[in-house]
């Protein structure tokens, strides 16, 4: 199999993934729109896995997609360090703290709670499956109520594009097991969680389509263009 | 080659997925990768501070918008280095550029002012720890 052949296969696989990834169930954004947050405080990530590095690694993937949605995102590393200085090194404590008080410390409009449910590489015979799974919850700082949430699972298998027979598969699996790369999966999970229209939230104040991208058209499959588009159809709730 | 296929797959998927998203509003200059490396290898503080500095300078030079949090993160890195006075410059920049950051930045500026002067550099904790760096001391590097 030639390299170009492989690339072609992979590209079509990636495209298929996008086609499904960009279509997402509709959500009720009433609470989100009513809260109208302008700034998001991503608090330290809660870890339900045995991988002790996962929360910090994952934290580093959050600012870019959140800010690109048009919100002010508080500096996540600085926030984490300040909380540690306040005796809140344990993410569980932060997650259980009163949202209003927590937000007031920073002057935030909304708080993003992420819990890592899976961050693992499993070696099964001739294939390694790398899986990440996250719960995302956004709370309004004023009321402490949940204004948005999402759940994402991403997986990749060392075997999915293998062409080298059994030995090739074993080698691929060993490589993937020895150095599983979670970060692209984590970024993809975020991209999918925040894609809009879709599971993600509407554009924030730093995007040109702020307050113009909802109520959203039901069948739109592309991310909103830079130029604001008038809603095509009012959505019955 | 076969062993590289999954890597290739990830790269292609990432590249194609990036194409799915609109071009970025901000000049990130690998801010997220730098933070990831900082958490992966907290001893190498110099790389973290340098990466933030580069990201700040390049985002300003490019004339593209400096992303939210970047000035503050760089300011905090300087603060951790014991450069409280320098850190204030960047906390001020963050505050001026992003009104949403006012409460936090005013706190940071107060802290930095308190520390500025004859107070010794902070004994850092957490991932950025091991920074009780004295000038001239030889540090162990991995």
């Amino acid at each position: 199999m030639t390299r170009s052949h492989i690339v072609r296969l992979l590209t079509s696989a990636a495209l298929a993934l996008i086609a499904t990834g960009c279509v997402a169930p509709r959500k009720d954004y009433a609470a989100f729109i009513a809260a109208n947050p302008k700034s998001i405080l991503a608090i330290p990530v809660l870890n339900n896995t045995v991988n002790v590095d996962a929360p910090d690694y994952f934290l580093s993937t959050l600012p870019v997609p959140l800010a690109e949605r048009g919100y002010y995102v508080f500096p996540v590393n600085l926030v984490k360090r300040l909380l540690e200085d306040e005796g809140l090194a344990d993410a569980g404590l932060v997650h259980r703290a009163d949202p209003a008080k927590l937000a007031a410390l920073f002057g935030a409009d909304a708080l993003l709670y992420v819990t890592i449910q899976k961050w693992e590489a499993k070696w099964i015979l001739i294939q390694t499956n790398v899986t990440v799974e996250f719960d995302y919850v956004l709370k309004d700082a004023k009321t402490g109520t949940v204004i948005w949430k999402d759940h994402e699972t991403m997986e990749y298998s060392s075997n999915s594009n293998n062409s080298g027979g059994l030995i090739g598969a074993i080698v691929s699996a060993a490589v993937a097991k020895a150095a599983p790369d979670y970060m692209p999966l984590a970024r993809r999970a975020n991209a999918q969680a925040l894609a809009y229209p879709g599971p993600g939230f509407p554009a924030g104040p730093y995007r040109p389509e702020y307050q113009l991208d909802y109520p959203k058209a039901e069948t739109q499959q592309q991310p909103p263009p830079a130029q604001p588009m008038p809603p095509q159809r009012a959505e019955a709730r | 080659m076969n062993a590289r296929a999954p890597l290739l797959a990830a790269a292609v998927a990432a590249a194609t997925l990036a194409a799915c998203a609109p071009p970025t509003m901000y000049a990130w200059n690998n801010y997220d990768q730098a933070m990831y490396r900082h958490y992966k290898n907290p001893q190498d503080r110099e790389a973290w501070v340098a990466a933030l500095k580069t990201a700040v300078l390049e985002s300003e030079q490019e004339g593209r918008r400096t992303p939210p949090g970047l000035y503050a993160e760089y300011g905090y890195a300087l603060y951790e280095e014991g450069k409280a006075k320098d850190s204030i410059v960047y906390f001020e920049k963050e505050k001026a550029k992003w009104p949403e950051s006012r409460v936090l930045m005013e706190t940071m500026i107060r802290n930095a002012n308190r520390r500025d002067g004859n107070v010794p550099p902070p004994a850092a904790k957490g991932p950025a720890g091991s920074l009780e760096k004295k000038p001239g001391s030889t540090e162990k590097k991995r």
Side-chain angles (χ1 to χ4, degrees):
Chain A
M1 193 182 274
T2 64
R3 177 180 290 248
S4 71
H5 190 179
I6 293 172
V7 167
R8 211 161 54 233
L9 265 179
L10 296 181
T11 309
S12 58
L15 285 172
L17 194 133
I18 288 159
T20 51
C22 288
V23 184
R26 291 187 293 133
K27 274 196 171 141
D28 185 352
Y29 287 102
F32 186 99
I33 290 165
N36 190 22
K38 294 179 174 60
S39 62
I40 296 175
L41 179 72
I43 60 171
V45 174
L46 192 61
N47 191 12
N48 282 348
T49 79
V50 293
N51 193 321
V52 293
D53 293 324
D56 284 352
Y57 291 176
F58 183 73
L59 189 66
S60 75
T61 68
L62 285 173
V64 174
L66 287 173
E68 291 291 332
R69 283 306 295 143
Y71 296 87
Y72 177 75
V73 180
F74 287 85
V76 293
N77 177 61
L78 189 163
V79 167
K80 179 180 131 67
R81 300 295 312 279
L82 282 191
L83 290 170
E84 285 166 2
D85 289 348
E86 296 290 317
L88 292 166
D90 173 16
L93 285 177
V94 184
H95 281 236
R96 288 192 297 274
D98 176 16
K101 282 184 186 156
L102 196 55
L105 279 177
F106 298 92
D109 292 344
L111 300 119
L112 180 67
Y113 297 72
V114 179
T115 305
I116 305 178
Q117 305 293 9
K118 271 191 192 151
W119 187 277
E120 63 190 23
K122 281 193 175 156
W123 192 357
I124 309 153
L125 296 179
I126 57 163
Q127 131 176 357
T128 296
N129 291 327
V130 182
T131 312
V132 296
E133 185 180 338
F134 309 109
D135 278 312
Y136 304 79
V137 173
L138 193 72
K139 289 184 184 173
D140 177 27
K142 292 182 286 290
T143 61
T145 54
V146 174
I147 54 174
W148 173 87
K149 63 181 174 177
D150 193 49
H151 176 94
E152 294 294 338
T153 304
M154 287 283 161
E155 184 173 286
Y156 106 78
S157 157
S158 64
N159 210 18
S160 56
N161 291 295
N162 195 275
S163 59
L166 186 62
I167 300 298
I170 291 170
V171 169
S172 290
V175 167
K177 176 64 184 173
D181 194 357
Y182 299 101
M183 301 309 282
L185 285 183
R187 292 201 177 89
R188 257 165 58 195
N190 291 341
Q192 187 151 314
L194 296 173
Y196 186 85
F201 28 80
Y206 290 101
R207 287 206 71 89
E209 71 270 27
Y210 174 54
Q211 293 186 328
L212 296 170
D213 60 352
Y214 51 78
K216 64 193 195 309
E218 279 180 52
T219 52
Q220 199 177 352
Q221 296 205 358
Q222 293 298 314
Q227 284 303 309
M229 242 169 61
Q232 286 161 349
R233 212 183 320 169
E235 189 178 304
R237 291 199 192 280
Chain B
M1 174 63 215
N2 287 325
R4 291 219 307 265
L7 288 179
L8 207 77
V12 170
T16 324
L17 252 136
C20 186
T24 62
M25 286 200 291
Y26 303 112
W28 290 97
N29 292 303
N30 299 320
Y31 171 64
D32 55 338
Q33 279 97 340
M35 195 185 300
Y36 168 70
R37 284 193 292 271
H38 175 49
Y39 288 137
K40 203 177 172 74
N41 187 12
Q43 289 85 356
D44 195 358
R45 277 200 57 84
E46 277 170 35
W48 168 235
V49 180
L52 289 174
K53 184 179 185 177
T54 306
V56 164
L57 291 177
E58 284 188 3
S59 72
E60 287 179 341
Q61 278 169 6
E62 281 172 40
R64 293 181 64 194
R65 302 185 68 191
T66 304
L70 181 58
Y71 284 132
E73 212 70 88
Y74 182 49
Y76 190 65
L78 292 172
Y79 176 83
E80 287 185 308
E81 299 280 288
K83 297 172 183 164
K85 195 169 241 168
D86 297 339
S87 75
I88 294 171
V89 174
Y90 292 93
F91 294 145
E92 291 284 7
K93 282 194 180 198
E94 180 86 8
K95 182 181 150 189
K97 190 164 179 63
W98 308 101
E100 298 86 350
S101 73
R102 187 183 54 81
V103 170
L104 178 57
M105 288 306 104
E106 283 175 358
T107 305
M108 298 312 294
I109 291 163
R110 268 198 308 279
N111 288 348
N113 274 324
R114 209 174 297 146
R115 190 159 279 166
D116 186 31
N118 47 16
V119 188
K125 313 171 185 104
S130 74
L131 110 128
E132 284 182 80
K133 193 191 286 190
K134 291 157 196 90
S137 75
T138 50
E139 279 197 49
K140 258 191 280 179
K141 288 256 162 65
R142 280 210 277 183

